[in-house]
Amino acid sequence: MRLLLVRHGQSKWNAARRLQGQADVGLSELGATQADALHPVIEEIGHCRAVASDLERVRDTACRIGAENVRLDEGLREIDVGDWTGRAIDDIRAEDEAAYQGWRAGTSSPPGGETWEAFVDRVTSVIEKELQAPCRNLLVVCHGGVIRAILQHYAGLEPAHIIPVAPASLSALRLGNGKPPRLELFNYLPDRLEFGAPD
């Protein structure tokens, strides 16, 4: 099975460089355009099933990229960032750069936030259920943290060694066939390169 991992398009809080975690923030105008640009790519690849986070920015992205019969699952929500929800990233970093970098590396949690280990368990429990039914290309529309959690669990890529995937980007992970999980595609965008994507 191939996991087609799509991060939602830019949200209004991504544009403002604010951490959102599980806050239900919609797409920005640019985010909608980004998702629309990915539609023909997803259409060409094709998918047999789709599962997505139930938050608005992901639901809208799923619709715009042409996902069909999407099953929404709370288990694919972004990591809960607790007291950092809605705060400007620059302010968090100015206050405690080490805490921010520890959170990005999965080694610490914001006050009141979800631990990385609990988050990975939550996300992979959803994926494991999906793996029970045959599917060539499973489309997973989700959040940047969810993609990092999947890549750590299945491919052994620690979050400290993965840049944030760009909004409305596509990554692909191949599972099964008697081979180790293989990262086939990472951070693909149909119209540009992106090395400085927001958390």
Side-chain angles (χ1 to χ4, degrees), residues 127-179:
I127 301 301
E128 285 298 306
K129 288 177 188 174
E130 291 293 336
L131 294 177
Q132 301 307 307
C135 181
R136 183 178 180 198
N137 292 324
L138 174 65
L139 179 60
V140 183
V141 191
C142 54
H143 307 268
V146 171
I147 293 172
R148 290 197 298 270
I150 290 170
L151 293 180
Q152 179 188 0
H153 181 80
Y154 292 102
L157 293 170
E158 297 296 324
H161 300 286
I162 305 173
I163 63 169
V165 293
S169 66
L170 171 64
S171 298
L173 184 67
R174 188 65 175 264
L175 303 175
N177 295 332
K179 297 179 180 178

Side-chain angles (χ1 to χ4, degrees), residues 55-194:
L55 297 180
E56 179 185 351
R57 58 192 181 271
V58 176
R59 295 195 321 266
D60 194 4
T61 298
C63 180
R64 288 178 174 277
I65 66 172
E68 298 177 356
N69 301 316
V70 182
R71 186 179 73 78
L72 302 178
D73 197 312
E74 292 181 8
L76 291 179
R77 287 183 179 186
E78 183 59 282
I79 192 168
D80 185 345
V81 294
D83 294 352
W84 288 358
T85 302
R87 292 195 59 197
I89 293 172
D90 290 344
D91 290 347
I92 295 169
R93 296 184 69 173
E95 185 178 286
D96 193 339
E97 177 71 15
Y100 178 79
Q101 293 303 332
W103 169 72
R104 279 289 291 112
T107 57
S108 64
S109 305
E114 187 174 16
T115 67
W116 180 256
E117 293 78 13
F119 175 57
V120 172
D121 287 347
R122 168 166 63 82
V123 167
T124 54
S125 69
V126 175
I127 301 301
E128 285 298 306
K129 288 177 188 174
E130 291 293 336
L131 294 177
Q132 301 307 307
C135 181
R136 183 178 180 198
N137 292 324
L138 174 65
L139 179 60
V140 183
V141 191
C142 54
H143 307 268
V146 171
I147 293 172
R148 290 197 298 270
I150 290 170
L151 293 180
Q152 179 188 0
H153 181 80
Y154 292 102
L157 293 170
E158 297 296 324
H161 300 286
I162 305 173
I163 63 169
V165 293
S169 66
L170 171 64
S171 298
L173 184 67
R174 188 65 175 264
L175 303 175
N177 295 332
K179 297 179 180 178
R182 293 179 295 168
L183 185 59
E184 295 182 316
L185 184 68
F186 182 72
N187 206 25
Y188 171 80
L189 296 163
D191 55 356
R192 67 195 189 285
L193 293 172
E194 175 63 73

Side-chain angles (χ1 to χ4, degrees), residues 23-41:
D24 203 4
V25 181
L27 294 178
S28 67
E29 188 173 320
L30 174 59
T33 300
Q34 291 168 337
D36 290 343
L38 194 59
H39 184 174
V41 176

